[in-house]
Amino acid sequence: MREVLTCNHNFIEEIINDLLESQGKMLRPRLVFLAASLYPHDPVMVTDVAVAIELVHLASLIHDDVIDQAQLRRGRESLNSRWGNQASVLTGDYLFASAFNLVNRHNQKEILDGLTSTIKTMCAGEIKQMSLAYNLDISEDEYIEKTHGKTACLFALCCKVGGLASSMPASGIKALEQFGLCLGYAYQIIDDLLDFLSESSLLGKPCGSDLLEGNITLPVIYALKDPHYGYQLKNHLQTKPLDSQGIMEIVQILKKSGGIEYSLNLSRRFLARGIAGLNELPATPARKEIIDMAAYLLDDYYKSLSSYNTMEAKGASS
């Protein structure tokens, strides 16, 4: 990534260095590599495609932070907070252009088409989320739709282009794409839960930041439909300024109404559905590694939620 983004402009170099100092799990390029490893492939093309995917992901995060006026990203000062909105937007555009340049090297029309259509879907998903901000009447279907644009479509693309960059047959690519889609749904649901249940220091952003930004997520949607707790929750969201105490009261409502448990179970169902679809692929060590990676990733999240529940139980009994 550093090699691809290197240029002869000191200011851009400084921003890029700042950006790359805070790298995440590299989950998306890892999915590309694992998908491609199921069949013979060109390692140079797979590497370029994986880097391109991560550049698109980073660009989308930068633009999201500008839109949300976020001050933190992964526990550090966000790019827009440090460098301003104009430089941040242009940096995101620079990453997008670099990603397209990488993919264009290999004359793979299907991969390029997948990348462009996914970026289009991601932009439409962000617009959809903005249109639903602070809307307490949002349905679960609308939540799933915006989750598709926000997260799941890019996960699906990672698996698809990994297959396309190899000699994988069409049936295997389709199975991998569906796996990526389900993994993306599960990942985003758990991420939304952690927004309520993790400490700010672990999240790298304020607890309850989704609600503060008007992003109504699945546990809230579920709790709002509850005949008893729905009224309490709606009252909190409509009449009280959301400070840390208000967020904690909302978390209790989400737990009592079953919103937390419902969301957790749905994430597990998505993951199970995605893994079941991988039976279309040959039973190789690479397939096992894909399944193990998905399970390990979400197990970390599940453990975080379990830790929260354990700490809360101890606090209630003391």
Side-chain angles (χ1 to χ4, degrees), residues 33-81:
F33 277 109
L34 288 174
S37 69
L38 288 159
Y39 284 84
H41 59 273
D42 176 357
V44 175
M45 179 165 65
V46 172
T47 298
D48 283 350
V49 171
V51 170
I53 291 287
E54 184 64 11
L55 293 178
V56 167
H57 173 56
L58 288 176
S60 70
L61 295 182
I62 293 169
H63 286 171
D64 285 353
D65 285 346
V66 172
I67 292 168
D68 298 336
Q69 302 179 47
Q71 299 301 302
L72 294 174
R73 166 65 62 181
R74 294 169 179 160
R76 300 176 72 247
E77 200 175 11
S78 63
L79 236 62
N80 52 294
S81 178

Side-chain angles (χ1 to χ4, degrees), residues 182-220:
C182 289
L183 178 62
Y185 285 131
Y187 182 92
Q188 186 59 55
I189 291 170
I190 295 299
D191 195 61
D192 290 341
L193 282 174
L194 287 173
D195 186 65
F196 292 110
L197 301 181
S198 276
E199 298 177 11
S200 297
S201 59
L202 297 176
L203 283 175
K205 60 181 180 177
C207 183
S209 61
D210 281 338
L211 275 185
L212 296 174
E213 295 166 3
N215 183 18
I216 310 301
T217 55
L218 185 60
V220 177

Side-chain angles (χ1 to χ4, degrees), residues 2-270:
R2 287 188 182 278
E3 178 186 341
V4 168
L5 298 175
T6 295
C7 67
N8 294 320
H9 195 293
N10 290 337
F11 183 54
I12 297 176
E13 290 280 0
E14 195 173 353
I15 295 175
I16 294 301
N17 286 335
D18 184 20
L19 174 68
L20 296 184
E21 279 179 13
S22 177
Q23 296 180 2
K25 301 181 186 70
M26 291 291 177
L27 172 62
R28 291 155 189 83
R30 189 175 301 170
L31 282 172
V32 176
F33 277 109
L34 288 174
S37 69
L38 288 159
Y39 284 84
H41 59 273
D42 176 357
V44 175
M45 179 165 65
V46 172
T47 298
D48 283 350
V49 171
V51 170
I53 291 287
E54 184 64 11
L55 293 178
V56 167
H57 173 56
L58 288 176
S60 70
L61 295 182
I62 293 169
H63 286 171
D64 285 353
D65 285 346
V66 172
I67 292 168
D68 298 336
Q69 302 179 47
Q71 299 301 302
L72 294 174
R73 166 65 62 181
R74 294 169 179 160
R76 300 176 72 247
E77 200 175 11
S78 63
L79 236 62
N80 52 294
S81 178
R82 181 169 182 183
W83 302 101
N85 288 341
Q86 290 177 320
S88 297
V89 169
L90 290 171
T91 299
D93 293 344
Y94 181 73
L95 297 187
F96 277 131
S98 300
F100 283 117
N101 186 53
L102 271 176
V103 175
N104 275 334
R105 292 178 182 178
H106 300 281
N107 194 29
Q108 293 286 325
K109 184 179 183 300
E110 200 168 356
I111 293 177
L112 184 60
D113 287 348
L115 187 62
T116 54
S117 64
T118 298
I119 292 173
K120 182 179 177 181
T121 300
M122 291 166 67
C123 292
E126 189 65 33
I127 295 169
K128 175 77 171 178
Q129 179 166 300
M130 290 170 62
S131 72
L132 292 170
Y134 301 101
N135 182 355
L136 302 185
D137 295 321
I138 177 176
S139 68
E140 184 173 324
D141 286 343
E142 287 175 312
Y143 168 82
I144 294 297
E145 181 185 347
K146 72 174 183 174
T147 298
H148 177 262
K150 184 175 181 178
T151 303
C153 68
L154 188 56
F155 274 63
L157 179 70
C158 293
C159 294
K160 179 179 180 179
V161 297
L164 289 171
S166 73
S167 58
M168 186 179 299
S171 60
I173 293 173
K174 185 65 177 177
L176 268 174
E177 185 179 11
Q178 287 302 306
F179 165 76
L181 193 66
C182 289
L183 178 62
Y185 285 131
Y187 182 92
Q188 186 59 55
I189 291 170
I190 295 299
D191 195 61
D192 290 341
L193 282 174
L194 287 173
D195 186 65
F196 292 110
L197 301 181
S198 276
E199 298 177 11
S200 297
S201 59
L202 297 176
L203 283 175
K205 60 181 180 177
C207 183
S209 61
D210 281 338
L211 275 185
L212 296 174
E213 295 166 3
N215 183 18
I216 310 301
T217 55
L218 185 60
V220 177
I221 294 168
Y222 183 90
L224 282 169
K225 294 187 295 185
D226 186 273
H228 176 67
Y229 293 106
Y231 174 79
Q232 292 182 31
L233 179 56
K234 197 168 188 178
N235 186 54
H236 270 283
L237 295 174
Q238 288 182 332
T239 64
K240 289 190 175 184
L242 286 178
D243 53 16
S244 58
Q245 179 60 36
I247 293 293
M248 289 309 300
E249 291 172 3
I250 287 173
V251 169
Q252 292 306 311
I253 292 174
L254 298 182
K255 289 176 68 66
K256 292 175 182 176
S257 67
I260 300 291
E261 183 180 2
Y262 175 80
S263 301
L264 185 59
N265 287 336
L266 183 59
S267 77
R268 286 175 170 147
R269 291 202 300 274
F270 270 122

